[in-house]
Amino acid sequence: MEEKAKTSLKIENLTKNYNKTTAVKNLSLSLEGKDIFGFIGPNGAGKTTTIKCIAGLLSHQSGVISINGKDSKLFGDLSKKRIGYVPDTPFLYDKLTGREFLYFVGRIYGMKEADIEKEIEFYSKQMEFSDYMDSRTEEYSHGMKQRIVIASAFIHNPDILLVDEPMVGLDPKSSRIVKDLFKEGAKENRILFISTHTLSLAEELCTKIGIMDKGSLVYFGSISELKDKIKKENLEDIFLEITSKNE
Ligand SMILES: Nc1ncnc2c1ncn2[C@@H]1O[C@H](COP(=O)(O)OP(=O)(O)O)[C@@H](O)[C@H]1O
Ligand SMILES: [Mg+2]
């Protein structure tokens, strides 16, 4: 079997402006395969903007985003195939069933039918979804919709999975299933980049965290290093301490 090198994502001095608003200022961070990165910060801190820049959906004014050592601007669509993206407001086609939706996404990524079927089989079990696979997504609850959207971002086996706010409004069962999906989805050649408000999720799942405040990355590292540094035990206390300093 082909051995794949460890995936890397390096962001150097990323700056993104929308007209007069600077949404992201000089952001630098570096991640590698198997990292589950929790990107946290208050509303408007610049998380979604950063994720869209990495996904190639927004162009940035300055800085470099490198994936596996190569500037992502030079990659074109090929690099997009290596990325999975779950936006903060996911989109589903109401009239497609879960199976049809996964099929549709797999085909967009150029996957072979047999491979799509294998993945659908795997994820419908993993997501405890088998009973709903052939119902139209318009009949799904919020948690079920979110589960199928997240599975659809895994289906082409991406190197980098970008997930924007996956936990908003999830019931406990869906939340557990999504967390397990992330834990099991961490691999040598995959980076999980998860933006979240849910600090308990970051604490439970993430090997590294980044705290954004007003467009700047004010902390990057492990949660345990951060707790040592701030001398507080609770991530919520630390978060509030760090993000209120510039008020
Ligand atoms: N399309 C846009 N046009 C103008 N300003 C925007 C746009 N999207 C986001 N912003 C601004 O950029 C900043 C960062 O927003 P965003 O990246 O959505 O933050 P977060 O995801 O952390 O809540 C905010 O001040 C927001 O108002
Ligand atoms: Mg956002």
Side-chain angles (χ1 to χ4, degrees):
M1 230 175 94
E2 185 195 355
E3 270 291 306
K4 282 187 77 181
K6 228 177 193 188
T7 298
S8 69
L9 169 68
K10 191 168 184 190
I11 304 177
E12 293 164 275
N13 296 314
L14 175 72
T15 295
K16 168 71 193 172
N17 304 309
Y18 299 102
N19 300 317
K20 284 188 183 132
T21 314
T22 301
V24 179
K25 283 177 233 166
N26 265 319
L27 183 147
S28 298
L29 61 83
S30 198
L31 297 169
E32 56 173 27
K34 233 175 170 170
D35 279 339
I36 305 183
F37 176 62
F39 198 37
I40 59 189
N43 282 334
K47 304 180 297 299
T48 295
T49 302
T50 303
I51 287 177
K52 284 186 176 167
C53 289
I54 301 170
L57 295 171
L58 282 177
S59 59
H60 44 281
Q61 276 76 17
S62 61
V64 178
I65 299 173
S66 317
I67 297 172
N68 298 336
K70 209 166 154 191
D71 185 341
S72 64
K73 274 191 177 161
L74 308 174
F75 268 54
D77 289 344
L78 212 61
S79 75
K80 295 206 178 96
K81 275 197 169 173
R82 301 310 319 142
I83 292 178
Y85 170 55
V86 181
D88 51 358
T89 45
F91 178 79
L92 280 169
Y93 292 98
D94 279 0
K95 303 294 177 202
L96 294 187
T97 65
R99 185 186 306 280
E100 287 164 347
F101 179 70
L102 293 179
Y103 225 94
F104 170 72
V105 173
R107 295 296 291 164
I108 286 179
Y109 281 108
M111 292 172 69
K112 295 195 194 99
E113 270 185 49
D115 292 335
I116 299 176
E117 270 159 29
K118 217 168 71 200
E119 297 296 321
I120 289 179
E121 181 72 14
F122 175 80
Y123 284 107
S124 63
K125 280 212 187 83
Q126 176 105 357
M127 296 184 307
E128 300 182 28
F129 218 84
S130 311
D131 294 348
Y132 312 104
M133 220 49 183
D134 295 303
S135 306
R136 287 180 174 174
T137 63
E138 65 190 349
E139 294 166 26
Y140 291 5
S141 67
H142 173 72
M144 286 160 67
K145 285 184 180 165
Q146 194 68 341
R147 279 191 251 162
I148 199 110
V149 165
I150 292 173
S152 78
F154 271 104
I155 202 168
H156 65 296
N157 193 16
D159 295 336
I160 299 180
L161 185 67
L162 304 162
V163 192
D164 202 350
E165 304 280 358
M167 294 301 175
V168 177
L170 285 196
D171 57 286
K173 182 172 181 197
S174 296
S175 161
R176 165 52 48 82
I177 289 171
V178 167
K179 280 192 276 194
D180 288 345
L181 206 61
F182 291 147
K183 279 184 198 158
E184 280 162 44
K187 296 191 204 169
E188 286 293 310
N189 57 358
R190 179 179 293 144
I191 293 169
L192 293 174
F193 191 117
I194 304 167
S195 127
T196 184
H197 273 314
T198 317
L199 298 177
S200 60
L201 173 82
E203 201 145 20
E204 186 179 334
L205 212 63
C206 297
T207 56
K208 288 182 187 146
I209 57 162
I211 301 181
M212 286 291 277
D213 195 30
K214 300 187 179 128
S216 300
L217 187 69
V218 291
Y219 177 77
F220 176 73
S222 75
I223 294 180
S224 57
E225 283 160 5
L226 181 62
K227 283 181 174 172
D228 285 348
K229 204 167 137 196
I230 308 283
K231 310 233 174 324
K232 281 189 173 148
E233 255 312 296
N234 181 317
L235 187 59
E236 192 172 55
D237 290 341
I238 295 174
F239 177 79
L240 293 173
E241 160 121 359
I242 291 185
T243 54
S244 62
K245 273 193 180 145
N246 311 326
E247 291 289 324

